[in-house]
Amino acid sequence: MKNIVLVRKQLFFEYKNTIIFLIVGALISILHINVFYYSHDTPKWVVFDVFLSICSLFCLRRRHVLSFSYIGGLVLILLYFMLLSLVWSPHKVAGLELTLRFSLTFLFGYCLIIDVSASRLLRLLMIAVFVSAFAFSIVFIIEHYVIKAPYNVGNFSPIGFMNNAGQVFNIWVPVLVAYCFHVMNKKILTLSVIILLLIVHVLMEAATRATIVGLMLSELIVFFIVLVQTRSFKQSIRFILINILLLSSCLAYSFLNISGTDRMYDKLISFTDSQTYKGMGSRYDMFVNTWEMAKDNPLGVGVNNFEYIHPKYAFPGTDRASPMVSEKVILRTPHNIILKMYSELGVIGGTFFALLLMCLFLCAFCNALKGEFYDKWLLIATMSTLFHSLLSAVFLTPVSLFFSIILFAVILKRFYINFNVRFKFTVKIPRSVCVLLLLVPAISLSWMASEFYAFRGQLRQDISDIKLSLKFNPSNDRALYNLSQIRWYRFKDAKGSLKNIDEFLLLYPYHISGLMIKAERQWLLKDYIGANYTLSKLLSFYPKFDRARRLHFMVNQYLRKAT
């Protein structure tokens, strides 16, 4: 009798955990609030941080020692390099942010692998994708076709930026197709097909070429693997369903002349074109410039600090320019996760990260060769995601990272079972780690509060709001920049503006607009030597910046008169 009660309690606990898990997955997929500069990512990251830290805490409280495989060892080495690089990174809070999330990702994935069976973990992935895709579909239909809310590239879908949806669809599309084969209920099957068609529609509208090409190539590879293994076209034909779906959608959109088709066609044609970003450089040049940045900094510039150092190596205003680097726009990532890690963690850290991705791919590939029907679809999702990560900011957005964790946990769990992998490394977990996990939600909520007041202060041009933002996060670079601008344009306070922009440039030393503002404030305060130094630094990597050149000429004239 006691055993029956214990089993019932365990089943209820697992059921309750599954429900919470599904709710969080759906919430991360649709949550957005227009009170932040990044209205989609900021609230999603808070949900991500809080949920993963609580899950990790419950997992670690029962364990004092963690056992790892070689892949876990790679992750620990990467975490060490991330922590070490914080010493010399200019923006330490940005580095700490990514380091904490990387740690949470590792611990959460570990919990899934250790505490959940392989079959249940696979079902959890499929149901989580189904529920999240369903919630996404409902919100997308309401926003676009019912209330007809205005949208742009930045808020194209409930996931956020236009290309961010494609990053998630790398996983959702193949998993939904696998779920259609898995589900027995006809109503759920019909709903799954409708959701899949809507996701393809969104993909056509967004015209995310890396997702389209990645899914099609990945499925073709699996198709030939199955064809060689089985020598049966009937069995392998199931693995060209995504190709058929995407090609027929392209043809249908072209025939019906639906909006978005021309954009998608142009982007696919320009996939290897050097002028991907018209007038702003090329993706190829961005990759080359990032590699030069990595070679010039063999230890890396610091975890998550690519954005703050890259303008120095971006050759703005030249034929070699990286895209999105000027006095008006910034480049946040190199759109290649491996190059990002090489530039931030150095040659050794970047190599270990590349090895980690290679191990994940090999695990998925080996599962597909030896495993079941579903392992083939997991390989498609893995290859498409990894392919996309070489061309976009995959793993750096909350929805993409959340579902990638579950996908890779499923793959590793099944690999460990299929090939009887042993956990050879053990690490003792000090109690301080649990305390740090308790602090993560507080830190995340503090950063969210800082973003809220910074954005409100920017809209209202209110100094008190921005000062409050800086109390929650003194390293909020956007708040410091806006505070400097408000002090000058509203109150003509050149000294206060210069003080704030100096604080900003300590975090963002090669920000083009920030350096220009500093030089202008120094000019107004008649600090001609300081202005000359600032402009010389700016023109050293942006020599064709006309506004800076004109001011530099005027400063030099005054310095000549003074001597």
Side-chain angles (χ1 to χ4, degrees), residues 29-91:
S29 302
I30 64 174
L31 182 63
H32 54 286
I33 311 171
N34 294 324
V35 295
F36 306 104
Y37 183 81
Y38 294 109
S39 59
H40 290 70
D41 281 0
T42 300
K44 292 178 194 295
W45 276 127
V46 173
V47 175
F48 180 94
D49 294 339
V50 172
F51 177 69
L52 264 67
S53 59
I54 292 173
C55 289
S56 301
L57 182 63
F58 273 97
C59 175
L60 292 181
R61 71 171 186 168
R62 303 191 305 269
R63 294 182 174 86
H64 300 290
V65 176
L66 301 184
S67 300
F68 301 110
S69 65
Y70 291 106
I71 295 176
L74 280 176
V75 174
L76 290 176
I77 292 172
L78 277 170
L79 183 58
Y80 169 78
F81 275 99
M82 287 181 176
L83 291 170
L84 183 64
S85 71
L86 290 175
V87 176
W88 56 80
S89 58
H91 203 316

Side-chain angles (χ1 to χ4, degrees), residues 124-267:
L124 186 64
L125 171 64
M126 292 194 290
I127 296 172
V129 167
F130 170 77
V131 172
S132 300
F134 176 72
F136 169 88
S137 302
I138 295 296
V139 175
F140 184 86
I141 290 170
I142 291 172
E143 290 183 343
H144 281 246
Y145 302 113
V146 178
I147 64 176
K148 296 184 178 179
Y151 65 90
N152 52 39
V153 174
N155 64 347
F156 173 73
S157 75
I159 292 175
F161 186 73
M162 182 175 282
N163 288 340
N164 289 3
Q167 297 172 8
V168 185
F169 294 166
N170 290 307
I171 299 172
W172 282 8
V173 171
V175 171
L176 276 173
V177 174
Y179 186 67
C180 289
F181 285 107
H182 170 79
V183 70
M184 303 300 293
N185 188 297
K186 289 185 179 180
K187 292 181 180 179
I188 297 179
L189 175 61
T190 303
L191 184 58
S192 301
V193 172
I194 293 172
I195 292 170
L196 183 60
L197 292 175
L198 180 65
I199 285 176
V200 172
H201 163 70
V202 176
L203 186 56
M204 294 294 112
E205 288 285 331
T208 310
R209 55 190 171 176
T211 304
I212 296 169
V213 174
L215 285 171
M216 294 178 71
L217 286 177
S218 301
E219 192 183 43
L220 283 174
I221 292 171
V222 172
F223 167 77
F224 285 113
I225 289 174
V226 176
L227 186 62
V228 170
Q229 279 186 325
T230 63
R231 299 180 184 272
S232 171
F233 187 76
K234 288 183 179 180
Q235 293 188 37
S236 55
I237 193 68
R238 292 176 294 182
F239 296 99
I240 58 170
L241 290 176
I242 295 175
N243 276 267
I244 294 171
L245 184 59
L246 293 177
L247 288 173
S248 59
S249 299
C250 291
L251 292 173
Y253 270 58
S254 300
F255 180 75
L256 297 173
N257 196 24
I258 296 176
S259 173
T261 308
D262 293 336
R263 182 175 67 254
M264 179 180 62
Y265 177 78
D266 292 340
K267 289 177 78 174

Side-chain angles (χ1 to χ4, degrees), residues 341-361:
M341 291 303 171
Y342 267 108
S343 64
E344 293 178 354
L345 301 181
V347 176
I348 300 175
T351 301
F352 276 114
F353 185 80
L355 285 173
L356 176 62
L357 295 187
M358 180 63 70
C359 287
L360 292 172
F361 165 73

Side-chain angles (χ1 to χ4, degrees), residues 289-290 292-293 296-297 301 305-316 320 322 325 508-512 515 537-543:
N289 294 341
T290 304
E292 291 297 323
M293 176 180 169
D296 200 39
N297 298 272
V301 298
N305 273 248
F306 168 88
E307 170 188 345
Y308 309 108
I309 304 298
H310 185 70
K312 179 183 178 182
Y313 301 91
F315 298 99
R320 297 177 54 191
S322 298
V325 178
Y508 212 138
Y510 295 97
H511 192 276
I512 294 171
L515 288 169
K537 178 181 178 180
L538 175 55
L539 291 169
S540 68
F541 64 90
Y542 193 179

Side-chain angles (χ1 to χ4, degrees), residues 382-450:
T382 302
M383 286 195 295
S384 181
T385 300
L386 294 179
F387 173 80
H388 201 168
S389 72
L390 302 179
L391 299 165
S392 186
V394 179
F395 308 131
L396 300 177
T397 54
V399 191
S400 168
L401 182 58
F402 181 78
F403 286 98
S404 296
I405 297 169
I406 311 171
L407 172 67
F408 294 145
V410 173
I411 288 167
L412 291 174
K413 181 75 172 185
R414 296 173 74 84
F415 178 79
Y416 293 153
I417 292 173
N418 289 337
F419 296 92
N420 194 25
V421 177
R422 295 182 180 180
F423 294 80
K424 296 185 177 181
F425 304 105
T426 57
V427 176
K428 290 185 178 180
I429 302 297
R431 291 183 179 180
S432 57
V433 172
C434 296
V435 176
L436 288 173
L437 286 173
L438 286 173
L439 291 176
V440 169
I443 294 171
S444 184
L445 289 169
S446 176
W447 288 340
M448 183 183 72
S450 178

